[in-house]
């Protein structure tokens, strides 16, 4: 999905340019799309739904660009918007689609052919079994490299809560995967980051 962002017309129409939006802000928003897509997919496990969520996030950020404080973490601000939109959507749906047996997740990937792919598929399966709050915290800290403080701000919880969720998620993954520790996993950088206690 290709997303383009253009400034609203300044003359004649009812659409007004958002205060705070300039070429630099536009470039920063466009640069954040890959990270937003990855985070959205970690929440939805649906490519179309995650792309819609990213687009809604960018629109919301564009409209509210004037409220963003320059010099602060733009990605964390965008992740907060995306997360809030996701949970608002969840409340409207009034139920989550459960995939306890991994049938839906299994349709998203082809069968692994190499050892590294098999390890990644096992890791993904184990990650899918984590409680949502733990998975979300682990993705933010392990895969997206947010600090505990940034992840806590995104999730709207205390730093200690995020640390606890990440620790429990890591311990559960090591247990489910039958590992003695993070060093037993393959060389995939994101997998190592997720399991690394540091």
């Amino acid at each position: 999905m290709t997303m383009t962002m253009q400034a609203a017309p300044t003359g004649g129409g009812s659409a007004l340019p958002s205060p705070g939006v300039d070429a630099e802000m536009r470039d920063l928003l466009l640069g954040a799309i890959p990270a937003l897509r990855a985070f959205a997919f970690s929440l939805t496990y649906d490519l179309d739904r995650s792309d819609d969520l990213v687009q809604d996030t960018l629109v919301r950020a564009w409209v509210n660009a004037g409220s963003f404080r320059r010099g602060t973490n733009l990605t964390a601000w965008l992740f907060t918007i995306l997360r809030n939109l996701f949970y608002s959507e969840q409340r409207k749906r009034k139920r989550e689609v459960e995939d306890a047996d991994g049938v839906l997740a299994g349709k998203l990937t082809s069968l692994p052919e190499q050892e590294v792919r098999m390890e990644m598929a096992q890791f993904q399966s184990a990650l899918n079994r984590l409680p949502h709050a733990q998975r979300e915290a682990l993705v933010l800290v392990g895969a997206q490299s947010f600090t505990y403080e940034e992840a806590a701000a995104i999730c709207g919880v205390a730093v200690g809560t995020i640390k606890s969720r990440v620790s429990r998620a890591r311990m559960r993954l090591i247990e489910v995967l039958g590992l003695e520790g993070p060093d037993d996993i393959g060389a995939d950088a994101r997998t190592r980051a997720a399991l690394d206690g540091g």
Side-chain angles (χ1 to χ4, degrees):
M1 174 177 188
T2 303
M3 295 182 204
T4 58
M5 301 183 75
Q6 299 174 349
T10 56
S14 60
L16 297 174
S18 178
V21 175
D22 54 27
E24 178 187 10
M25 182 63 147
R26 186 196 68 226
D27 291 344
L28 290 171
L29 290 174
L30 291 173
I33 289 174
L36 287 170
R37 291 183 83 193
F39 184 51
F41 187 76
S42 77
L43 294 172
T44 64
Y45 288 102
D46 180 306
L47 288 173
D48 291 333
R49 192 170 162 214
S50 62
D51 280 346
D52 290 344
L53 196 54
V54 169
Q55 187 171 359
D56 291 346
T57 299
L58 292 171
V59 168
R60 183 78 53 97
W62 183 268
V63 169
N64 295 297
S67 68
F68 174 70
R69 290 187 325 220
R70 301 287 175 123
T72 61
N73 189 331
L74 177 73
T75 306
W77 182 66
L78 292 170
F79 272 40
T80 302
I81 293 170
L82 188 146
R83 184 179 182 275
N84 290 342
L85 287 169
F86 171 75
Y87 284 113
S88 292
E89 181 182 293
Q90 288 298 100
R91 282 190 295 274
K92 288 178 187 173
R93 290 174 179 244
K94 296 193 179 182
R95 63 182 179 87
E96 278 190 46
V97 176
E98 292 191 23
D99 189 22
D101 56 1
V103 171
L104 296 176
K107 291 179 181 178
L108 297 176
T109 59
S110 60
L111 294 175
E113 296 175 4
Q114 299 173 352
E115 185 177 331
V116 173
R117 287 187 183 174
M118 287 179 62
E119 286 180 356
M120 195 58 203
Q122 289 171 344
F123 176 77
Q124 186 67 48
S125 175
L127 186 66
N128 290 343
R129 287 189 244 161
L130 291 175
H132 182 76
Q134 289 179 15
R135 184 175 67 236
E136 177 182 54
L138 190 63
V139 166
L140 288 171
V141 173
Q144 295 293 334
S145 301
F146 281 105
T147 65
Y148 288 114
E149 292 77 12
E150 291 168 335
I154 289 167
C155 295
V157 298
V159 173
T161 301
I162 287 294
K163 287 182 178 181
S164 175
R165 288 176 182 174
V166 169
S167 176
R168 286 194 311 264
R170 285 178 173 146
M171 288 175 21
R172 180 70 181 136
L173 284 178
I174 289 169
E175 175 187 320
V176 167
L177 293 171
L179 306 174
E180 292 183 23
D183 291 337
D184 288 349
I185 197 75
D188 180 81
R190 288 190 174 206
T191 304
R192 284 195 172 277
L195 290 175
D196 185 16

